[in-house]
Amino acid sequence: MPGYMAKGSLADDEMGLPLSERTVGNYLQEQGYTTGIIGKWHQGNADQYHPTKRGFDYFYGFRGGARSYFAFSDENPNYRPEDNLERGFGKFEESPLYLTDALANDAIDFIHRENKAPFFLFLSFNAVHSPMEARKEDLAALPNLQGKRRTLAAMNLAMDRAIGRVLSALDNTGLSDSTRVIYSNDNGGPSDDNGSGNTPLARHQSQPSRGRYSRTFYRSLARYY
């Protein structure tokens, strides 16, 4: 955890998935798969930990663990370099789109581009992680909710819609029957921070979540033969 553990531990730039470890991307590359990760990386900010050096042929996303869902600008400044939106290695450019939509669009492009051969895509949405930022249109669709709960639900709505578009891309390219889609989440919702609900489980982020709007899903797509 850069910024928190540097004192008495590793320097920030030395924190990351140990270089001695191999990722699923490494193993699938050896099996002839084209591998990609789109979205949140959070396995080390420094160049030596970059996903394109850890088993992934393609990367579009950000190296850190959480960032704004809207483009950084003078009005929305960024103070952490690892949060910049990056394509490949070292090509930084913000998207004008809501980030969940931008990641889904890139995943769809990946599917269309790589559908002639085996591929593995790790679509790592940062939704619904903080900061709590939703599209105005999605907030307007949920008038019966209030405060953080409403924002969280709107963020989840955007993510579900994005996932639907990715699955439609598999249908439209005729890949649905030869593609395995795996859904997973990393932890429960921090109910004190974003209005999520984990009942009947413990009310902390470290616990798996059953809250209706509190799941943070990471998506993996693997075309297999």
Side-chain angles (χ1 to χ4, degrees):
M1 296 178 64
Y4 294 93
M5 298 172 62
K7 293 182 179 179
S9 185
L10 295 173
D12 283 354
D13 285 346
E14 295 179 19
M15 293 185 187
L17 181 69
L19 299 179
S20 59
E21 298 295 330
R22 307 183 74 224
T23 70
V24 63
N26 292 128
Y27 288 105
L28 289 175
Q29 280 180 332
E30 294 173 354
Q31 300 300 317
Y33 284 72
T34 297
T35 58
I37 177 170
I38 295 173
K40 170 180 175 177
W41 173 237
H42 209 204
Q43 296 297 322
N45 300 337
D47 288 351
Q48 67 262 31
Y49 299 116
H50 195 270
T52 59
K53 301 181 181 182
R54 307 305 303 273
F56 293 93
D57 299 303
Y58 178 77
F59 172 61
Y60 177 68
F62 57 101
R63 302 187 191 189
R67 57 150 285 163
S68 176
Y69 290 79
F70 298 101
F72 291 125
S73 63
D74 291 340
E75 292 75 29
N76 184 29
N78 176 31
Y79 301 103
R80 299 183 302 193
E82 65 268 23
D83 292 348
N84 289 320
L85 199 57
E86 182 179 16
R87 187 181 300 280
F89 179 77
K91 298 178 181 179
F92 298 98
E93 182 179 355
E94 290 295 297
S95 170
L97 301 177
Y98 184 68
L99 186 57
T100 300
D101 296 329
L103 299 180
N105 285 355
D106 207 69
I108 292 168
D109 289 343
F110 182 94
I111 291 169
H112 286 295
R113 186 172 65 249
E114 304 295 344
N115 70 81
K116 302 302 181 184
F119 68 76
F120 171 78
L121 174 60
F122 180 30
L123 177 50
S124 179
F125 284 115
N126 56 312
V128 291
H129 197 290
S130 59
M132 306 310 295
E133 297 174 347
R135 297 170 70 242
K136 293 180 180 179
E137 299 88 341
D138 291 331
L139 289 168
L142 300 162
N144 295 328
L145 297 175
Q146 301 295 325
K148 293 181 179 180
R149 188 70 173 173
R150 184 183 188 188
T151 303
L152 181 65
M155 295 167 70
N156 205 108
L157 178 63
M159 182 177 62
D160 284 351
R161 183 175 57 242
I163 293 165
R165 292 199 296 114
V166 173
L167 295 178
S168 292
L170 293 175
D171 290 337
N172 295 337
T173 51
L175 299 181
S176 295
D177 290 339
S178 60
T179 303
R180 177 165 295 171
V181 181
I182 302 169
Y183 297 83
S184 65
N185 69 305
D186 64 345
N187 48 235
S191 55
D192 57 340
D193 178 60
N194 69 4
S196 58
N198 298 308
T199 305
L201 303 178
R203 300 190 306 163
H204 297 288
Q205 187 176 6
S206 60
Q207 296 295 329
S209 170
R210 292 185 181 177
R212 182 179 179 187
Y213 298 114
S214 60
R215 296 172 181 172
T216 303
F217 284 116
Y218 289 76
R219 315 295 176 176
S220 297
L221 305 180
R223 186 181 181 191
Y224 64 98
Y225 290 81

